[in-house]
Amino acid sequence: DQQVKQNSPSLSVQEGRISILNCDYTNSMFDYFLWYKKYPAEGPTFLISISSIKDKNEDGRFTVFLNKSAKHLSLHIVPSQPGDSAVYFCAAISNSNSGYALNFGKGTSLLVTP
Amino acid sequence: EAQVTQNPRYLITVTGKKLTVTCSQNMNHEYMSWYRQDPGLGLRQIYYSMNVEVTDKGDVPEGYKVSRKEKRNFPLILESPSPNQTSLYFCASSLQFPPYYEQYFGPGTRLTVT
């Protein structure tokens, strides 16, 4: 059962505009969330993360927002650039008495057009 | 250069022929992990290792083995590969467990089992 869901398989945005990638989760034990970016023929690379005790984390053009009550997080890219075109994976970590778990979403393919 | 390397990058094999995919990191990371990526399923964790001689199952461990005899190496072993193990495999490492620190991914190994 998919505990981390990225319901939009793809997204197309014009250069300079905002890209918003969404991620929903079902497990309330998740306490840390990460976004990874993946180019074709390469491994994923870490982009940005957020702890469950925060609701926002910003790093340059990238901002992640966390809404715990809605079990929803989003990645905002402003302004979007053609080099941002990639697949973006949302991931969540839980660490409980039964052990640790890391779950990835299926990914959203972002295309930024000039 | 800090990196995670995997070999081979591409492999075509036949059902039942044992194979090993090597993974090595030069960052003195304690935590290492293997994932497979399949269309429509995203990244799924196969096995992970918190440190030397400590390994644990991820979400999809069936049909795979791993070992962690040295800190830098974490090979993935398929004793009797089957066509449903055709996939893109990624090795990853991070400084500590749990991977609240960013994970560094290798470039991937594309495996085809006929």
Side-chain angles (χ1 to χ4, degrees):
Chain A
D1 184 33
Q2 196 83 14
Q3 297 188 64
V4 177
K5 299 177 184 179
Q6 294 178 257
N7 292 319
S8 299
S10 62
L11 176 67
S12 183
V13 172
Q14 267 193 319
E15 181 179 6
R17 308 291 283 265
I18 183 172
S19 295
I20 300 176
L21 295 96
N22 293 304
C23 179
D24 297 294
Y25 61 96
T26 57
N27 188 346
S28 58
M29 295 299 292
F30 288 147
D31 59 3
Y32 203 78
F33 303 89
L34 309 96
W35 284 94
Y36 285 84
K37 178 168 77 172
K38 184 184 180 302
Y39 293 118
E42 294 183 14
T45 54
F46 170 76
L47 194 57
I48 193 169
S49 63
I50 187 166
S51 164
S52 61
I53 62 173
K54 295 187 174 183
D55 55 19
K56 177 182 174 181
N57 189 26
E58 190 172 352
D59 184 3
R61 295 186 299 115
F62 303 92
T63 303
V64 56
F65 295 92
L66 175 62
N67 182 336
K68 282 188 67 177
S69 60
K71 294 192 177 69
H72 176 84
L73 66 156
S74 60
L75 174 67
H76 293 211
I77 307 174
V78 183
S80 301
Q81 300 173 353
D84 295 330
S85 297
V87 176
Y88 290 79
F89 290 99
C90 171
I93 298 174
S94 64
N95 195 11
S96 65
N97 291 336
S98 58
Y100 131 88
L102 174 64
N103 291 269
F104 280 85
K106 295 181 182 180
T108 296
S109 179
L110 172 66
L111 176 64
V112 180
T113 56
Chain B
E1 181 191 353
Q3 60 182 355
V4 178
T5 57
Q6 298 177 226
N7 282 294
R9 294 289 311 278
Y10 302 91
L11 179 59
I12 301 174
T13 190
V14 296
T15 298
K17 186 176 181 183
K18 180 179 178 179
L19 68 92
T20 299
V21 183
T22 65
C23 173
S24 183
Q25 50 92 4
N26 62 359
M27 296 168 279
N28 203 35
H29 284 171
E30 291 187 356
Y31 175 86
M32 297 185 75
S33 182
W34 275 103
Y35 299 89
R36 60 179 289 174
Q37 183 187 5
D38 301 290
L41 294 175
L43 285 163
R44 293 180 295 168
Q45 191 174 44
I46 303 171
Y47 268 95
Y48 63 94
S49 170
M50 295 182 284
N51 213 325
V52 176
E53 302 293 0
V54 181
T55 63
D56 211 342
K57 296 177 181 178
D59 292 325
V60 288
E62 295 77 21
Y64 304 94
K65 285 174 58 176
V66 292
S67 69
R68 188 92 182 273
K69 293 187 173 63
E70 310 165 274
K71 200 170 189 178
R72 62 182 291 126
N73 295 323
F74 191 44
L76 179 69
I77 303 155
L78 285 73
E79 294 272 3
S80 182
S82 61
N84 65 12
Q85 292 178 298
T86 293
S87 187
L88 179 59
Y89 291 87
F90 291 101
C91 179
S93 73
S94 68
L95 188 60
Q96 289 180 7
F97 166 85
Y100 296 123
Y101 297 86
E102 60 176 283
Q103 288 192 76
Y104 292 80
F105 282 80
T109 295
R110 186 165 291 281
L111 172 65
T112 302
V113 183
T114 61

